[in-house]
Amino acid sequence: MFRTSFTTRPTLQGTFGMVSSTHWLASQSAMAVLEDGGNAYDAAVAAGFVLHVVEPHLNGPAGDVPIILAPAGGRVRVLCGQGPAPAAATIEYYTGLGLDLVPGTGPLAAVVPGAVDAWLVLLRDHGTRELADVLRFAIEYAEHGHPAVERIGAAVATLRELFETEWTSSAEVYLPDGRPPAAGALLRNPDLAATWRRLLAEARAGAGTGGPGGREARIEAARRVWREGFVAEAMVAHAARPAMDSSGRRHAGLLDAADLAGWEATYEDPVSYDWRGWTVCKAGPWTQGPVLPQQLALLDPGLDAADHGTPEYLHALIEGSKLAMADREAWYGDAAGPEAVPLDELLSPEYNAARRALIGPEASRELRPGRPGGRTPRLSAHCGATAGGGVAGTGEPTVAPTGETRGDTCHVDVVDRWGNMISATPSGGWLQSSPVVRGLGFPLGTRLQMTWLEPGLPSSLVPGRRPRTTLSPTLALRGGEPVLAFGTPGGDQQDQWQAHFLVALALAPEVRGGLDLQGAIDAPNWHQDAFPSSFFPRGMLPASVTVESRVGEAAAAELRRRGHKVTVADAWTEGRLCAVARDPETGVLSAGANPRGMQGYAVGR
């Protein structure tokens, strides 16, 4: 049995403010906003824009971001920064091009960019700072440079030929002096800095034309510039130009001006589930978020600390994860009315007792969705076609020469001294997703690759609908009070890693009177791939499970004996978790961050 008492660093504690993110510069920029009197939402927006600059292989301005927030004294809300499919994006159009999957790269996979509008709506409604104040960190790093992390250069090196021969606008940004950015070398993006400076200038000039002036008016003007002004015009013109994509051919995109002008970030209620005194809040089934409470619902009610880390424990979590992910494939999507996802049934005690009984002593090899309310599961024909093979991601970028990737994402959590809390998972618009929009400094996103080109499925491509995203921030309450915000990059692995984190946290003893955040983050982790990947080319690997070597040889051997196809990875490879917490009784704030990849950091005081 492994314990969470060994940690790579302490769980931070304080009373003023805490930030945890996937890059130290984003964490420290957010902390600077808190120190300047801003609240958690001001800080998160600053971090979000910095992440666009310093982790361009993991997210960008034309990407996506689901956000869960809990204002002090208010109710938990989800802010949707996931844009929908363009109005012209029909199954017939794509299949007419000879495609059976949406490409994983290029403008044909672009949805309406959602991240920037979501960050601006958050700042308008819940922040206190001017947009210029929170954007200044991103502008500075884009204009003057930031030390590039190793994985940026590695991604660019893989794509070098594509950039030099096809995506030449990307080469201009990411092949300075004709070479990939060296680790630690200053990487600049002057076009992106100029984009934000021009947006701020036009927002100031236009703030008086739409009503009374002031902070909110300037933010609204910035939203108009993004959705209808020079930024939108450049994105639409760019999408119309054919570009090489992962199909091996050049295609133009379908994004147009009406798509951009007609969509905005919106609020909705979270999906919530009560487990062992925790109320876990997730975004709806237009994300994979409900997979986390489904995994919790499938756990044996008698699970205790003595079980943690044993082979039996790992087997039960892995098999429960397979059942939950099979339900994701059969039932999750952006639909309402008669097609709505049957979440009440999927999370009901009766349904999960029956599903739990399917977990036997041996590893399952089939995709086994349930029948909530007696409904018949609906799966893509591609699920069977890929069941014997495919490609599985591990959470950090996996990049092919044509650019297709899996698992490229960032995360940020913030809690402030007033009790405001937020969890956000920005992603998409990666440097490897599509050519950079010349003059803007960032590429379009490719989230449409997560839809199926078959009608009648919960996640079929439908114009105006959101693709079912893997992005999955989490916020948890105890006794009705927000106490924990957490999340991770990792594509399809996000809610697998988060389930293991939350169970480890719930079973672990307190540290210095608080939650052992760092111990639960550091605990040996795993993921399984026995379901269709959300990313092109949508492969799956039945019975496959990857464990960190720290799980131990005996546990790995026992899993193999049970029929799991076990890959033992390096000791620190599984999970990219961030977390912050608040004790409502004492006001003590805590934070922890992932040591894997040597990039995530928590700060606070």
Side-chain angles (χ1 to χ4, degrees), residues 150-184:
E150 290 84 348
R151 286 177 176 81
I152 298 176
V156 173
T158 304
L159 298 164
R160 181 171 184 166
E161 182 179 353
L162 178 69
F163 282 9
E164 290 177 336
T165 60
E166 296 282 350
W167 297 5
T168 55
S169 59
S170 298
E172 293 166 10
V173 177
Y174 291 110
L175 288 169
D177 304 320
R179 297 186 299 272

Coordinates of all heavy atoms in Angstrom, one line a residue, residues 150-184:
E150 N 10.8 23.2 -22.1 CA 11.4 22.2 -23.0 C 10.4 21.7 -24.1 O 10.7 21.5 -25.2 CB 12.0 21.0 -22.3 CG 13.2 21.3 -21.5 CD 13.0 21.9 -20.1 OE1 11.8 22.3 -19.8 OE2 13.9 22.0 -19.3
R151 N 9.1 21.5 -23.6 CA 8.1 20.9 -24.5 C 7.7 21.8 -25.6 O 7.2 21.2 -26.6 CB 6.9 20.4 -23.6 CG 7.3 19.2 -22.8 CD 6.1 18.8 -21.9 NE 6.4 17.6 -21.2 CZ 7.1 17.5 -20.0 NH1 7.6 18.6 -19.5 NH2 7.3 16.3 -19.4
I152 N 7.8 23.1 -25.5 CA 7.5 23.9 -26.7 C 8.5 23.6 -27.8 O 8.1 23.3 -28.9 CB 7.6 25.4 -26.3 CG1 6.6 25.8 -25.2 CG2 7.5 26.3 -27.6 CD1 6.7 27.2 -24.8
G153 N 9.8 23.6 -27.5 CA 10.8 23.3 -28.5 C 10.6 21.9 -29.1 O 10.8 21.7 -30.3
A154 N 10.3 20.9 -28.2 CA 10.1 19.5 -28.7 C 8.9 19.5 -29.7 O 9.0 18.8 -30.7 CB 9.8 18.6 -27.5
A155 N 7.8 20.1 -29.4 CA 6.6 20.1 -30.3 C 7.0 20.8 -31.6 O 6.6 20.3 -32.7 CB 5.4 20.9 -29.6
V156 N 7.7 21.9 -31.5 CA 8.0 22.6 -32.8 C 9.0 21.8 -33.6 O 8.9 21.8 -34.9 CB 8.6 24.0 -32.4 CG1 9.1 24.7 -33.7 CG2 7.5 24.9 -31.8
A157 N 9.9 21.1 -33.0 CA 10.9 20.3 -33.7 C 10.2 19.2 -34.5 O 10.6 18.9 -35.6 CB 11.9 19.7 -32.7
T158 N 9.2 18.6 -33.9 CA 8.4 17.6 -34.6 C 7.7 18.1 -35.8 O 7.5 17.4 -36.8 CB 7.4 16.9 -33.6 OG1 8.1 16.4 -32.5 CG2 6.6 15.8 -34.3
L159 N 7.2 19.4 -35.7 CA 6.4 20.0 -36.8 C 7.3 20.9 -37.7 O 6.7 21.5 -38.6 CB 5.4 20.9 -36.1 CG 4.3 20.1 -35.2 CD1 3.6 21.1 -34.3 CD2 3.4 19.3 -36.1
R160 N 8.6 20.8 -37.6 CA 9.4 21.8 -38.3 C 9.1 21.8 -39.8 O 9.0 22.8 -40.4 CB 10.9 21.5 -38.0 CG 11.8 22.5 -38.7 CD 13.2 22.3 -38.2 NE 14.1 23.3 -38.8 CZ 15.3 23.5 -38.3 NH1 15.8 22.9 -37.3 NH2 16.1 24.4 -38.9
E161 N 9.1 20.6 -40.4 CA 8.9 20.5 -41.8 C 7.6 21.0 -42.3 O 7.5 21.7 -43.3 CB 9.1 19.0 -42.3 CG 9.0 18.9 -43.8 CD 9.1 17.4 -44.3 OE1 9.5 16.6 -43.4 OE2 8.9 17.2 -45.5
L162 N 6.5 20.7 -41.5 CA 5.2 21.2 -41.8 C 5.2 22.7 -41.7 O 4.6 23.4 -42.6 CB 4.2 20.6 -40.8 CG 2.7 21.1 -40.9 CD1 2.1 20.5 -42.2 CD2 1.9 20.6 -39.7
F163 N 5.8 23.3 -40.7 CA 5.8 24.7 -40.6 C 6.6 25.4 -41.7 O 6.1 26.4 -42.3 CB 6.5 25.1 -39.2 CG 5.6 25.0 -38.0 CD1 4.4 24.4 -38.1 CD2 6.1 25.5 -36.8 CE1 3.6 24.3 -36.9 CE2 5.3 25.4 -35.7 CZ 4.1 24.8 -35.7
E164 N 7.7 24.8 -42.1 CA 8.5 25.4 -43.2 C 7.9 25.3 -44.5 O 8.1 26.2 -45.4 CB 9.9 24.8 -43.1 CG 10.7 25.1 -41.9 CD 12.1 24.4 -41.8 OE1 12.2 23.4 -42.5 OE2 13.0 25.0 -41.2
T165 N 7.1 24.2 -44.8 CA 6.6 24.0 -46.1 C 5.1 24.4 -46.3 O 4.7 24.7 -47.4 CB 6.8 22.5 -46.5 OG1 6.1 21.7 -45.6 CG2 8.2 22.1 -46.5
E166 N 4.4 24.3 -45.2 CA 2.9 24.5 -45.3 C 2.4 25.6 -44.4 O 1.7 26.5 -44.9 CB 2.2 23.2 -45.0 CG 2.4 22.0 -45.9 CD 1.7 22.2 -47.3 OE1 0.8 23.0 -47.4 OE2 2.0 21.4 -48.2
W167 N 2.7 25.5 -43.1 CA 2.2 26.5 -42.2 C 3.3 27.6 -41.9 O 3.8 27.7 -40.8 CB 1.9 25.8 -40.9 CG 0.8 24.8 -40.9 CD1 0.1 24.4 -42.0 CD2 0.2 24.1 -39.8 NE1 -0.8 23.4 -41.7 CE2 -0.8 23.2 -40.4 CE3 0.5 24.1 -38.5 CZ2 -1.6 22.4 -39.5 CZ3 -0.3 23.2 -37.6 CH2 -1.3 22.4 -38.2
T168 N 3.5 28.4 -42.9 CA 4.7 29.3 -42.9 C 4.4 30.4 -41.9 O 5.4 31.0 -41.3 CB 5.0 29.9 -44.3 OG1 3.8 30.5 -44.8 CG2 5.5 28.8 -45.2
S169 N 3.2 30.8 -41.6 CA 2.9 31.8 -40.6 C 3.3 31.3 -39.2 O 3.7 32.1 -38.3 CB 1.4 32.2 -40.6 OG 0.6 31.1 -40.4
S170 N 3.2 30.0 -39.0 CA 3.6 29.4 -37.7 C 5.1 29.4 -37.6 O 5.7 29.6 -36.5 CB 3.1 28.0 -37.6 OG 1.7 27.9 -37.6
A171 N 5.8 29.2 -38.7 CA 7.3 29.2 -38.7 C 7.8 30.6 -38.3 O 8.8 30.7 -37.6 CB 7.8 28.8 -40.1
E172 N 7.1 31.6 -38.7 CA 7.5 33.0 -38.4 C 7.5 33.2 -36.9 O 8.3 34.0 -36.4 CB 6.6 34.0 -39.1 CG 6.7 34.0 -40.6 CD 5.6 34.7 -41.3 OE1 4.8 35.4 -40.6 OE2 5.4 34.6 -42.5
V173 N 6.6 32.6 -36.2 CA 6.5 32.8 -34.7 C 7.4 31.8 -34.0 O 8.1 32.1 -33.0 CB 5.1 32.6 -34.2 CG1 5.0 32.8 -32.7 CG2 4.2 33.7 -34.9
Y174 N 7.4 30.5 -34.4 CA 7.9 29.4 -33.6 C 9.2 28.8 -34.1 O 9.8 27.9 -33.5 CB 6.9 28.3 -33.3 CG 5.8 28.8 -32.5 CD1 4.5 29.1 -33.0 CD2 6.0 29.1 -31.1 CE1 3.5 29.6 -32.2 CE2 5.0 29.6 -30.3 CZ 3.7 29.9 -30.8 OH 2.8 30.4 -30.0
L175 N 9.7 29.4 -35.2 CA 11.1 29.0 -35.6 C 11.9 30.2 -35.8 O 12.4 30.6 -36.8 CB 11.0 28.3 -37.0 CG 10.4 26.9 -37.0 CD1 10.2 26.4 -38.4 CD2 11.4 25.9 -36.2
P176 N 12.1 30.9 -34.6 CA 13.0 32.1 -34.7 C 14.4 31.7 -35.1 O 14.9 30.7 -34.6 CB 13.0 32.6 -33.2 CG 12.6 31.4 -32.4 CD 11.7 30.6 -33.3
D177 N 15.0 32.5 -36.0 CA 16.3 32.2 -36.6 C 16.3 30.8 -37.2 O 17.4 30.2 -37.4 CB 17.4 32.2 -35.5 CG 17.4 33.6 -34.8 OD1 17.2 34.6 -35.4 OD2 17.5 33.6 -33.5
G178 N 15.1 30.3 -37.6 CA 15.1 29.0 -38.4 C 15.2 27.8 -37.5 O 15.4 26.7 -38.0
R179 N 15.2 28.0 -36.2 CA 15.4 26.8 -35.3 C 14.3 26.8 -34.2 O 13.7 27.9 -33.9 CB 16.7 26.9 -34.5 CG 18.0 26.8 -35.4 CD 19.2 26.8 -34.6 NE 19.4 27.9 -33.8 CZ 20.0 29.1 -34.2 NH1 20.5 29.2 -35.4 NH2 20.1 30.1 -33.4
P180 N 13.9 25.6 -33.8 CA 12.9 25.5 -32.7 C 13.4 26.2 -31.4 O 14.7 26.3 -31.2 CB 12.8 24.0 -32.4 CG 13.3 23.4 -33.7 CD 14.3 24.3 -34.2
P181 N 12.6 26.8 -30.6 CA 13.0 27.5 -29.4 C 13.8 26.5 -28.5 O 13.3 25.4 -28.2 CB 11.7 27.9 -28.7 CG 10.7 27.8 -29.8 CD 11.1 26.8 -30.7
A182 N 14.9 26.9 -28.1 CA 15.7 26.2 -27.1 C 15.2 26.3 -25.7 O 14.6 27.4 -25.4 CB 17.2 26.6 -27.2
A183 N 15.3 25.3 -24.9 CA 14.8 25.4 -23.5 C 15.5 26.5 -22.8 O 16.7 26.6 -22.8 CB 15.1 24.1 -22.8
G184 N 14.7 27.4 -22.2 CA 15.3 28.5 -21.5 C 15.6 29.8 -22.3 O 15.8 30.8 -21.8

